[in-house]
Structures are given as structure tokens and as C-alpha cells.
């Protein structure tokens, strides 16, 4: 009888640890390994019509986006960090913002940190869906941090996430933050001319 009870306890503890691990409780950065992809030839994609509402040196010429103050702070922190490392600033791209926000909202809804949730398009298919004719695509995701500085510190201290932030292959960025459960997404990219 003692063996059966001990076995049940071990199984319950194991399942609990697995659930907590999947939720990122044991990760100091509450993030998962980043992803990035490159392609050498473009398939033509129908572009989504975009209204231009912001034009200056920090925004892609096709940008019409609405970012929260914390998302703007994340965008600024990325470019400050890139400048400190002698890497060109990124341009905010509305298509990548849309891609990041849709993915971030889905992670929040499903309460799951992932680069691709069940029945969700892959990163590059999400870029295609919003009309971003990518030749480079990369993504960082995280959860649990409630400030842009804290999540940036986590990503900077993770070699793979840091590599995405400092990638010279990236020209554009889209960022998203959902304050309901503190989910974060950075989408990096570059397009064919």
C-alpha cells in the first residue's frame, strides 16, 4: 500500500512540475528560444493596403500603427540597445506590428507561450498574411514581466534572443504587449526591394 501511495505522489508531483515547466515558472527569463528564418527568393504576396499616418526617420514609410506607451518604450529600448552596439536602428513596420499583436493576443487568450500555437500559421506565414514580403524573419516572445526594461533585460541576457535584437539582417520591427497576462512579442524582418 505504501508503494502505491508513494507512486501516486511521485506521479502527481511529476505532472505538477511538468505543468509549471510548460508555463515557464522555472525559466528565469520566462521566454522560449527565439526563431529566425531567411529565404533567398520571394514569392509574390498580395499586400495589405496600409494608410500612412506617421512619417519620420523611425517609421517605415508604410506605417500606420497605434502603440501603447509601453510598446513605444520597448521599440525605443531596442533601438537604443542597437545603437550602443553599433547596429543600425530598426524601423517600425505596421505589418509586423499587426503580426506581433495578433500572435500576442492569441498567446494571451490561450495562456501559452509559443512561437506557433495549435492551428496558428507559422511565423513566416503570418508575415505573408499581413503582406510583408520577407527575406528575413525572426521572433522573440516572453511573458511574466510587467515593464519593457525587464523583458529587454531578459532577452539581452539570452544569447539567442539577443542575437535577434542585434541582427544586421533585420531592418524592420513590430512589437506587442498584452497587459492582461504580460505577454510580449517582437517580430523582426527585412523585405525584398
Amino acid at each position: 500500500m505504501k508503494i502505491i501511495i508513494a507512486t501516486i505522489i511521485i506521479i502527481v508531483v511529476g505532472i505538477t512540475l511538468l505543468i509549471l515547466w510548460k508555463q515557464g515558472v522555472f525559466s528565469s527569463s520566462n521566454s522560449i528560444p527565439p526563431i529566425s528564418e531567411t529565404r533567398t527568393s520571394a514569392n509574390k504576396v498580395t499586400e495589405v493596403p496600409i494608410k500612412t499616418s506617421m512619417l519620420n526617420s523611425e517609421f517605415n514609410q508604410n506605417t500606420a500603427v497605434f502603440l501603447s506607451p509601453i510598446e513605444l518604450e520597448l521599440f525605443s529600448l531596442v533601438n537604443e540597445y542597437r545603437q550602443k552596439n553599433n547596429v543600425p536602428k530598426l524601423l517600425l513596420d505596421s505589418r509586423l506590428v499587426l503580426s506581433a499583436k495578433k500572435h500576442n493576443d492569441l498567446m494571451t487568450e490561450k495562456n501559452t507561450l509559443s512561437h506557433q500555437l495549435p492551428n496558428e500559421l507559422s511565423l513566416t506565414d503570418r508575415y505573408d498574411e499581413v503582406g510583408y514580403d520577407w527575406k528575413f524573419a525572426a521572433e522573440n516572445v516572453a511573458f511574466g514581466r510587467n515593464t519593457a526594461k525587464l523583458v529587454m533585460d531578459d532577452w539581452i541576457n539570452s544569447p539567442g534572443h539577443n542575437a535577434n535584437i542585434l541582427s544586421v539582417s533585420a531592418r524592420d520591427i513590430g512589437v506587442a504587449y498584452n497587459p492582461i497576462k504580460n505577454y510580449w512579442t517582437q517580430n523582426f524582418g527585412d523585405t525584398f526591394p
Side-chain angles (χ1 to χ4, degrees), residues 35-169:
I35 58 172
S36 65
E37 294 186 40
T38 304
R39 68 178 172 189
T40 56
S41 64
N43 296 329
K44 286 299 171 194
V45 177
T46 305
E47 294 213 2
V48 176
I50 299 171
K51 290 170 32 180
T52 302
S53 66
M54 296 182 201
L55 291 176
N56 70 35
S57 62
E58 291 191 6
F59 293 92
N60 183 310
Q61 61 189 6
N62 291 327
T63 300
V65 295
F66 299 95
L67 297 178
S68 69
I70 200 165
E71 290 168 331
L72 283 171
E73 180 184 4
L74 179 60
F75 171 64
S76 295
L77 288 172
V78 168
N79 277 336
E80 287 171 18
Y81 182 65
R82 286 174 67 92
Q83 277 192 298
K84 287 179 189 172
N85 287 276
N86 298 313
V87 180
K89 286 180 164 185
L90 296 173
L91 301 173
L92 189 64
D93 187 279
S94 62
R95 297 163 294 181
L96 294 184
V97 170
L98 178 60
S99 174
K101 284 183 178 281
K102 287 173 72 176
H103 179 66
N104 213 58
D105 288 345
L106 189 57
M107 287 193 303
T108 300
E109 176 188 322
K110 302 293 184 187
N111 198 28
T112 302
L113 183 69
S114 177
H115 288 293
Q116 185 176 4
L117 294 156
N119 301 316
E120 183 187 26
L121 297 173
S122 69
L123 174 65
T124 55
D125 287 339
R126 285 186 268 137
Y127 282 21
D128 291 341
E129 180 183 50
V130 297
Y132 191 83
D133 192 18
W134 64 277
K135 67 177 178 183
F136 173 78
E139 178 174 72
N140 289 343
V141 294
F143 83 101
R145 299 299 192 190
N146 63 357
T147 71
K149 179 164 180 8
L150 287 174
V151 78
M152 273 297 290
D153 288 346
D154 287 346
W155 281 330
I156 287 168
N157 288 309
S158 163
H161 295 97
N162 189 55
N164 278 349
I165 294 168
L166 294 177
S167 176
V168 295
S169 297

